[in-house]
């Protein structure tokens, strides 16, 4: 049994003990805190014992300890869960001074649990002393656990496709070939791990390809083929469950457009036969790329052009290896001979090379360690290509530090390889299921993100998408690595309790489903309609005593359940009203401080008491109603999604200095409010949905928006004119989105912002705004910013100097962006009067 099989239950038990201490603090359970501390001390000792083992294949000498730890810790988790549930179900009306009988029973059972773990701790201590005697020479740790230590960072430069330059060139020529008007299918064929998906993705994201095609779609087929899910994914429509309707919508949306579709990882020709009917053949020059391992399937596509992907040459393999281990730098001379032998034994397979490179990039550059890796890899030389690749991946998994293994296994074991794994959702799940050990003084979400980044740096997961701030939006995992995870989970009998998705109502299975007692995420179970009666003594909702994440809830009954769960970390889409919380406060029923709560979404109303009760909230989505008053936001708030449903008074709102992201939906907004946002020192993204701009001209303060990177101006009647001087305004702006009919002018000064790389707008924008955007693109290109792109209706426009009609000599002629010209002031006053008339008509 692998060490991780004991490590995961230990982390679960630590979480349960932490929850019990919090609930005891607010008198929600009867426990003996000294016993809880004693048990926690022994659990931490065992956690540190397992973490201290050198990364690598499990030592058979510790297997007996692993078996005992797993057995006793799982039993302890069940005991605690059942004890607390029994208290909640049978002692709701027990007064505090009548809780002695519950505490007495708890103490008796806890003595045995503590004794069991103390016995294991004594054996482990003896084993450690014996090991220390045998190993008198201390060794430096071979594995680094600091994500920043790798040469491969999360914000790396342009992607590289080393060894496939010829394939890239050929594919681009075939996709862009203007003389072929018919729809063409281009298969990319090769074994698993050879780089088919990487090659297709590189070409798919190429700027010249993006400009060439009106519409592009990436579809992962996978071995578990599901036509309905694929069509829903393409159209981003999960509500429709009719294949015929979805197929018709897809065909109509593509008709008349030049489209590019990538069908990644196709295993069955039937998938193509089902999908092809929805891809119109209307001589627009459309292309379809299919990646597959099966040469016969590629032949069945009846394409005259096939891209066969083979193994890398020796030199290209070495170049790829050095790029992943040393960030493109040269390999130290003392490691080059060993390094080249390691690469040679990978036999030119890219996935094997980058996986081993990921392992070595996180190790100390020691000849002894590299020699041990070479020995393991060389032993695979006589295996078939597929088996050799699998064994290389196994080696990389074995050498993972223990604290990373639960995360990797969860990603591979509970997500399909074709699923786009949302980074924020994944982080919440990992924390809720206690797969990340907290580090004192560091937010648990930050620890989780660091660990996921390290998995990426080790090339065990990959990034599917990033947002405009270059933060990770979604992740993915290669199917071979997913197979490895599924095998490890099955062989090690990992995640035996509390991770299965229930098929029925928890109330109906309450007596047999013990994992329910430890439930940490409501989404683990389904619910039947008969269970909504909160007056029932056995109502299941009150038994979520260890709940960490509430993904979605829309019933008033949550107030008495989740508002009394001090361990909560995330509440999503709850559609709750602040007045219910306020009522409990006014009646003296609520006294809990949510010290761990980080995410709170879709709550109606906010006030000072809620901010005091939830001081650690980092992400808040709320709607302020007419009766909202005394609004104070949490002091550590970073992301705020705010809707304001009243006209007057909200301009006095105060926003925390920690804010980095602000989405605002409101009826009207003034120039002073906009400039107030500009004084937030950490604001990086601002999204505005505004019905009416109170001022016609917006002139930002020169000292505002110093860190703003992304600005969205969406819908409604924003300011009519927007004026700035030069790059002293918005010095770090990278992306500008405009989708409003009312804005008639964007400033020329945008041409001087060297960081600006993208303007994205709707074709419905004012013609002068579109014309100015094209002129800004021309000036940015002339100043050497060749990364600048202009998108209209999400399609990038070609850059051609002959298309630029605006006179270059107008920089100082028409008006000043500073707005100092007297004629401009007259225009401004006229526009203001017109704006007031329009407002009166409304």
């Amino acid at each position: 049994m692998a060490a991780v099989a004991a490590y995961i239950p230990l982390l679960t038990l630590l979480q349960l003990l932490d929850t019990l201490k919090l609930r005891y603090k607010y008198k929600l359970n009867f426990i003996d805190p000294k016993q809880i501390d004693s048990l926690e001390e022994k659990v931490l000792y065992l956690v540190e014992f397992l973490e201290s083992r050198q990364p690598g294949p499990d030592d058979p000498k510790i297997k007996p300890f692993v078996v005992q730890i797993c057995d006793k810790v799982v039993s302890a988790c069940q005991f605690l869960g059942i004890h607390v549930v029994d208290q909640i179900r049978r002692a709701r009306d027990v007064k505090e001074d009548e809780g002695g009988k519950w505490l007495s029973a708890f103490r008796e059972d806890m003595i045995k649990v503590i004794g069991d773990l103390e016995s294991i701790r004594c054996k482990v201590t003896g084993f450690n002393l014996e090991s220390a005697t045998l190993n008198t020479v201390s060794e430096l740790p071979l594995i680094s656990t600091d994500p920043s230590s790798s040469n491969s960072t999360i914000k790396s430069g342009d992607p590289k496709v080393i060894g496939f330059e010829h394939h890239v060139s050929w594919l681009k020529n075939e996709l862009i070939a203007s003389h072929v008007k018919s729809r063409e299918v281009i298969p990319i064929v090769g074994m698993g791990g050879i780089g088919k998906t990487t090659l297709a993705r590189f070409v798919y994201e190429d700027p010249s390809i993006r400009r060439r095609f009106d519409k592009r779609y990436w579809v992962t087929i996978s071995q578990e083929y599901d036509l309905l899910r694929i069509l829903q994914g393409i159209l981003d429509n999960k509500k429709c469950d009719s294949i015929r309707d979805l197929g018709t919508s897809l065909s109509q949306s593509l008709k008349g457009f030049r489209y590019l579709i990538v069908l990644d990882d196709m295993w069955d020709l039937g998938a193509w036969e089902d999908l092809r009917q929805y891809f119109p053949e209307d001589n627009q020059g459309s292309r379809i790329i299919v990646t597959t391992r099966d040469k016969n399937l590629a032949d069945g596509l009846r394409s005259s052009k096939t891209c066969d992907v083979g193994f890398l040459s020796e030199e290209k393999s070495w170049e790829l290896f050095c790029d992943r281990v040393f960030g493109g730098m040269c390999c130290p001379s003392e490691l080059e001979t060993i390094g080249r032998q390691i690469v040679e034994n990978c036999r030119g397979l890219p996935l094997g090379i980058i996986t081993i490179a990921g392992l070595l990039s996180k190790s100390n550059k020691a000849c002894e360690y590299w020699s041990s890796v070479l020995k393991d890899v060389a032993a695979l030389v006589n295996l078939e290509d597929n088996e050799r690749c699998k064994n290389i991946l196994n080696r990389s998994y074995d050498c993972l530090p223990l604290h990373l293994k639960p995360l990797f296994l969860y990603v591979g074991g509970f997500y399909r390889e074709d699923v786009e794994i949302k980074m924020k959702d994944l982080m919440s799940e990992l924390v809720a299921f206690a797969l990340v050990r907290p580090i004192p003084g560091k937010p648990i979400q930050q620890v989780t993100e660091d660990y996921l980044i390290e998995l990426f740096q080790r090339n065990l997961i990959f990034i599917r998408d990033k947002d405009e701030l270059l933060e990770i939006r979604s992740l993915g995992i290669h199917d071979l690595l997913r197979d490895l995870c599924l095998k490890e989970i099955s062989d090690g009998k990992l995640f035996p309790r509390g991770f299965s998705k229930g098929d029925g109502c928890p109330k109906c299975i309450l007596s047999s489903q013990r994992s329910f007692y430890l439930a940490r995420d409501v989404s683990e179970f389904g619910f039947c309609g008969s269970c909504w009666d909160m007056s029932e003594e056995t109502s299941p909702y009150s038994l979520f005593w260890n709940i960490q994440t509430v993904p979605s809830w829309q019933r008033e009954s949550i107030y008495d359940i989740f508002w009394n769960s001090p361990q909560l970390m995330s509440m999503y889409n709850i559609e709750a009203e602040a007045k219910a919380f306020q009522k409990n406060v006014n009646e003296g029923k609520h006294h809990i401080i949510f010290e761990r709560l980080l995410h709170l979404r879709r709550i109606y109303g906010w006030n000072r008491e809620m901010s005091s009760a939830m001081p650690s909230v980092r992400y808040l989505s709320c709607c302020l109603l007419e009766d909202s008053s005394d609004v104070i936001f949490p002091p550590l708030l970073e992301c705020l999604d705010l809707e304001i449903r009243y006209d007057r008074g909200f301009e006095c709102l105060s926003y925390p200095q920690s804010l980095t992201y602000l989405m605002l939906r409101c009826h009207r907004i003034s120039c002073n409010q906009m400039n107030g946002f500009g004084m937030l020192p950490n604001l990086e993204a601002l999204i505005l949905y505004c019905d009416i701009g109170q001022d016609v001209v917006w002139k930002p303060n020169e000292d505002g928006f110093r860190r703003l990177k992304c600005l969205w101006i969406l819908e409604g009647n924003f300011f009519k004119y927007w004026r700035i001087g030069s790059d002293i305004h918005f010095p770090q702006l990278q992306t500008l989105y405009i989708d409003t009919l009312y804005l008639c002018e964007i400033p020329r000064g945008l041409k001087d912002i060297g960081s600006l790389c993208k303007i994205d707008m709707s074709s419905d924008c004012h013609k002068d705004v579109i014309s100015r955007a094209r002129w800004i693109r021309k000036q940015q290109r002339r100043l050497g910013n060749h990364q600048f792109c202009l998108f209209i209706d999400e399609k990038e426009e070609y850059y051609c100097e002959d298309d630029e009609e605006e006179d270059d000599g107008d920089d100082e002629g028409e008006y000043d962006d500073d707005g100092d010209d007297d004629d401009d002031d007259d225009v401004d006053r006229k526009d203001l009067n017109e704006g007031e008339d329009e407002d009166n008509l409304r």
Side-chain angles (χ1 to χ4, degrees):
M1 180 177 287
V4 70
Y7 186 69
I8 292 173
L10 283 169
L11 294 183
T12 297
L13 183 52
L14 280 177
Q15 185 193 68
L16 296 181
L17 295 175
D18 184 63
T19 299
L20 279 174
K21 289 195 294 185
L22 266 179
R23 293 178 63 85
Y24 175 76
K25 178 180 177 180
Y26 295 105
K27 301 179 181 180
L28 297 172
N29 279 115
F30 301 109
I31 63 170
D32 185 338
K34 291 182 179 180
Q35 286 185 318
I36 295 295
D37 290 340
S38 175
L39 182 57
E40 184 178 50
E41 178 189 358
K42 293 165 178 54
V43 173
L44 284 172
Y45 183 90
L46 296 176
V47 167
E48 290 168 359
F49 162 72
L50 293 176
E51 288 182 341
S52 67
R53 313 310 299 171
Q54 192 77 317
D58 284 314
D59 184 350
K61 294 180 181 179
I62 71 167
K63 184 175 180 179
F65 302 121
V66 169
V67 173
Q68 293 178 53
I69 292 171
C70 191
D71 180 53
K72 298 301 181 183
V73 170
V74 168
S75 296
C77 289
Q78 291 180 347
F79 153 70
L80 289 173
I82 293 172
H83 175 83
V84 175
V85 166
D86 191 51
Q87 276 194 17
I88 296 173
R89 291 178 61 185
R90 297 170 55 193
R92 290 186 178 186
D93 299 326
V94 174
K95 298 178 182 179
E96 183 178 349
D97 57 354
E98 299 176 357
K101 60 179 180 179
W102 308 109
L103 184 56
S104 176
F106 175 80
R107 282 173 173 164
E108 290 179 8
D109 290 335
M110 277 290 287
I111 290 173
K112 182 178 185 306
V113 172
I114 293 172
D116 288 342
L117 291 188
E118 176 62 23
S119 174
I120 298 175
R121 186 174 81 159
C122 291
K123 295 176 183 178
V124 166
T125 302
F127 176 80
N128 279 339
L129 291 173
E130 180 182 348
S131 299
T133 303
L134 295 174
N135 300 290
T136 56
V137 180
S138 62
E139 298 180 359
L140 291 174
L142 295 176
I143 300 297
S144 164
T145 58
D146 181 7
S148 63
S149 65
S150 172
N151 289 299
S152 173
T153 61
I154 208 68
K155 295 183 179 179
S156 55
D158 295 334
K160 301 177 182 178
V161 183
I162 295 173
F164 297 130
E165 293 84 358
H166 171 73
H167 297 81
V168 169
S169 178
W170 182 85
L171 274 171
K172 288 171 65 175
N173 287 336
E174 292 301 323
L175 293 176
I176 295 177
S178 58
H179 62 281
V180 181
K181 297 297 183 182
S182 60
R183 186 196 70 186
E184 284 201 329
V185 181
I186 305 174
I188 301 179
V189 186
M191 68 168 287
I194 202 70
K196 303 181 298 295
T197 300
T198 301
L199 175 60
R201 176 68 72 177
F202 185 85
V203 174
Y204 179 82
E205 297 292 354
D206 185 89
S208 63
I209 300 301
R210 292 205 310 260
R211 290 192 295 265
R212 171 69 178 170
F213 293 94
D214 302 314
K215 297 190 175 186
R216 298 178 306 128
Y217 294 104
W218 183 285
V219 185
T220 302
I221 305 298
S222 80
Q223 201 165 359
E224 302 169 3
Y225 165 59
D226 183 343
L227 179 60
L228 176 61
R229 178 184 54 80
I230 289 172
L231 293 174
Q232 288 176 332
I234 294 175
L235 295 171
D236 193 21
N237 182 357
K238 300 292 174 57
K239 296 181 179 180
C240 180
D241 57 3
S242 167
I243 291 178
R244 175 181 294 179
D245 292 346
L246 289 167
T248 301
S249 298
L250 175 59
S251 181
Q252 291 175 348
S253 69
L254 295 176
K255 193 168 185 61
F257 292 96
R258 181 187 297 131
Y259 57 83
L260 170 64
I261 295 177
V262 178
L263 303 177
D264 185 38
D265 196 23
M266 185 177 288
W267 289 71
D268 187 350
L269 193 60
W272 168 247
E273 297 299 334
D274 287 340
L275 283 168
R276 63 182 300 180
Q277 59 185 308
Y278 304 123
F279 303 145
E281 298 187 62
D282 47 6
N283 295 322
Q284 296 291 331
S286 299
R287 301 286 184 268
I288 300 172
I289 294 176
V290 177
T291 72
T292 181
R293 305 181 190 186
D294 190 343
K295 179 65 174 174
N296 293 327
L297 187 151
D299 294 339
L301 297 174
R302 300 176 184 176
S303 172
S304 60
K305 302 169 182 177
T306 300
C307 181
D308 290 302
V309 183
F311 296 104
L312 298 181
S313 67
E314 183 178 339
E315 282 307 310
K316 287 298 181 181
S317 297
W318 178 247
E319 183 182 346
L320 176 61
F321 177 81
C322 290
D323 180 73
R324 294 305 179 101
V325 178
F326 304 107
M329 305 295 288
C330 294
C331 175
S333 57
E334 65 272 17
L335 295 174
E336 182 169 353
T337 300
I338 304 174
R340 285 188 177 274
Q341 291 175 337
I342 292 173
V343 172
E344 180 183 351
N345 282 283
C346 290
R347 295 293 189 268
L349 184 66
L351 182 60
I353 294 170
I354 66 172
T355 305
I356 287 293
L359 166 64
L360 295 176
S361 71
K362 304 300 293 185
S363 71
N364 291 319
K365 307 302 184 286
C367 291
E368 295 80 6
Y369 182 63
W370 281 45
S371 295
S372 71
V373 173
L374 171 60
K375 182 180 179 180
D376 289 342
V377 176
L380 311 176
V381 66
N382 294 321
L383 297 178
E384 295 292 331
D385 293 332
N386 281 320
E387 286 303 311
R388 185 188 305 112
C389 180
K390 290 179 181 178
N391 279 275
I392 290 174
L393 301 183
N394 283 332
R395 165 71 192 198
S396 294
Y397 169 76
D398 287 341
C399 291
L400 268 181
L402 185 60
H403 66 269
L404 294 179
K405 286 185 177 180
L407 287 79
F408 176 62
L409 292 173
Y410 184 84
V411 173
F414 292 88
Y415 285 98
R416 297 157 52 119
E417 74 271 18
D418 58 329
V419 169
E420 188 174 12
I421 306 169
K422 302 297 184 183
M423 179 71 165
K424 291 182 178 179
D425 293 343
L426 174 62
M427 289 171 58
S428 293
E429 291 170 16
L430 292 172
V431 172
F433 287 121
L435 297 178
V436 181
R437 181 188 174 188
I439 296 178
K442 194 171 186 179
I444 186 65
Q445 294 280 352
Q446 185 61 56
V447 175
T448 308
E449 183 177 11
D450 288 346
Y451 288 174
L452 289 173
I453 288 173
E454 187 168 354
L455 287 176
F456 162 74
Q457 292 170 344
R458 291 173 177 273
N459 300 304
L460 295 175
I461 59 177
F462 61 87
I463 297 173
R464 285 188 182 273
D465 191 21
K466 294 182 183 180
D467 61 21
E468 290 76 10
L469 298 176
L470 297 182
E471 299 292 335
I472 303 172
R473 179 177 284 149
S474 60
L475 300 166
I477 185 170
H478 195 282
D479 54 352
L480 291 179
L481 289 166
R482 179 174 181 267
D483 291 342
L484 183 156
C485 292
L486 292 173
K487 185 176 184 303
E488 288 292 325
I489 291 172
S490 175
D491 292 350
K493 297 181 180 179
L494 306 180
F495 308 125
R497 298 174 176 87
F499 284 83
S500 60
K501 305 292 182 182
D503 294 326
C505 169
K507 177 182 175 183
C508 303
I509 59 175
L510 192 57
S511 60
S512 60
Q513 177 62 286
R514 287 192 168 188
S515 65
F516 177 74
Y517 296 142
L518 310 180
R520 287 157 286 188
D521 188 327
V522 177
S523 62
E524 290 182 61
F525 301 93
F527 294 87
C528 68
S530 62
C531 289
W532 284 111
D533 185 0
M534 298 306 299
S535 62
E536 293 185 47
E537 187 174 316
T538 58
S539 175
Y541 305 107
S542 61
L543 306 184
F544 282 104
W545 66 276
N546 189 39
I547 196 71
Q548 304 287 325
T549 299
V550 183
S552 181
W553 216 284
Q554 300 178 11
R555 302 249 180 176
E556 290 186 1
S557 54
I558 69 163
Y559 304 141
D560 295 328
I561 306 170
F562 301 128
W563 286 142
N564 288 298
S565 301
Q567 76 284 350
L568 272 178
M569 292 186 178
S570 303
M571 297 180 74
Y572 300 123
N573 303 324
I574 60 172
E575 296 195 1
E577 296 188 18
K579 60 184 180 183
F581 177 88
Q582 187 64 42
K583 180 182 177 182
N584 284 341
V585 172
N586 295 339
E587 295 176 357
K589 295 180 180 179
H590 195 280
H591 56 285
I592 290 176
I593 304 297
F594 293 92
E595 304 168 12
R596 317 284 174 79
L597 188 62
L598 299 175
H599 299 86
L600 185 60
R601 295 185 183 176
R602 295 186 68 178
I603 187 164
Y604 292 91
W606 192 262
N607 53 44
R608 183 185 299 272
E609 287 81 4
M610 298 186 75
S611 186
S612 299
M614 307 173 197
S616 300
V617 169
R618 300 297 201 278
Y619 181 100
L620 174 63
S621 171
C622 71
C623 175
L624 299 184
L625 308 173
E626 288 283 355
D627 56 352
S628 298
S629 61
D630 198 20
V631 177
I632 301 293
F633 294 112
L636 301 177
L637 192 63
E638 296 174 0
C639 299
L640 175 60
D641 182 347
L642 179 63
E643 181 180 357
I644 300 175
R645 294 188 179 178
Y646 56 92
D647 271 355
R648 308 294 178 185
F650 75 89
E651 60 272 6
C652 299
L653 290 178
S654 177
Y655 300 89
Q657 300 291 290
S658 56
L659 208 61
T660 62
Y661 172 99
L662 173 61
M663 177 185 288
L664 178 64
R665 300 175 180 89
C666 62
H667 182 54
R668 63 174 67 235
I669 194 168
S670 69
C671 184
N672 287 336
Q673 287 171 280
M674 286 293 298
N675 290 337
F677 298 146
M679 301 312 295
L680 295 172
N682 296 299
L683 189 65
E684 295 184 354
L686 177 61
I687 304 176
L688 296 170
Y689 295 83
C690 180
D691 292 337
I692 301 173
Q694 290 183 215
D695 303 295
V696 173
V697 181
W698 176 35
K699 300 174 184 177
N701 295 332
E702 291 184 2
D703 56 348
F705 298 103
R706 307 308 295 173
R707 296 187 61 179
L708 192 71
K709 296 178 181 178
C710 298
L711 174 61
W712 287 260
I713 303 173
L714 306 172
E715 300 179 359
N717 297 331
F718 191 67
F719 308 106
K720 198 167 186 178
Y721 301 106
W722 172 18
R723 307 274 173 82
I724 67 173
S726 59
D727 59 355
I728 60 173
H729 295 91
F730 305 97
Q732 297 189 40
L733 188 65
Q734 297 175 1
T735 306
L736 172 63
Y737 291 85
I738 304 174
D739 187 8
T740 174
L741 302 176
Y742 190 70
L743 186 64
C744 297
E745 173 188 288
I746 58 176
R748 289 171 175 253
L750 293 174
K751 70 179 175 60
D752 298 315
I753 301 177
S755 59
L756 189 62
C757 58
K758 180 180 178 182
I759 294 180
D760 196 340
M761 58 177 53
S762 166
S763 60
D764 294 330
C765 288
H766 195 284
K767 61 181 180 61
D768 290 344
V769 172
I770 296 177
S771 177
R772 177 60 53 77
R774 288 170 174 155
W775 179 84
I776 291 169
R777 175 185 59 184
K778 178 178 179 180
Q779 301 305 315
Q780 286 275 356
R781 296 287 183 119
R782 286 187 174 181
L783 292 172
N785 184 5
H786 298 291
Q787 301 299 316
F788 184 90
C789 298
L790 173 62
F791 286 78
I792 297 181
D793 290 339
E794 299 184 354
K795 176 175 171 54
E796 185 177 357
E797 279 203 341
Y798 283 101
Y799 173 68
C800 179
E801 291 192 14
D802 294 338
D803 293 340
E804 303 289 355
E805 300 294 339
E806 190 168 351
D807 185 9
D808 294 339
D810 289 343
D811 288 345
E812 300 176 0
E814 292 181 0
Y815 56 82
D816 294 327
D817 278 340
D818 294 330
D820 294 333
D821 193 290
D822 291 339
D823 294 336
D824 286 343
D825 293 337
D826 293 338
V827 172
D828 293 349
R829 282 190 290 271
K830 179 181 178 182
D831 287 332
L832 282 170
N833 292 332
E834 290 175 353
E836 291 175 358
D837 292 340
E838 292 174 4
D839 199 16
N840 291 332
L841 287 174
R842 291 189 183 91

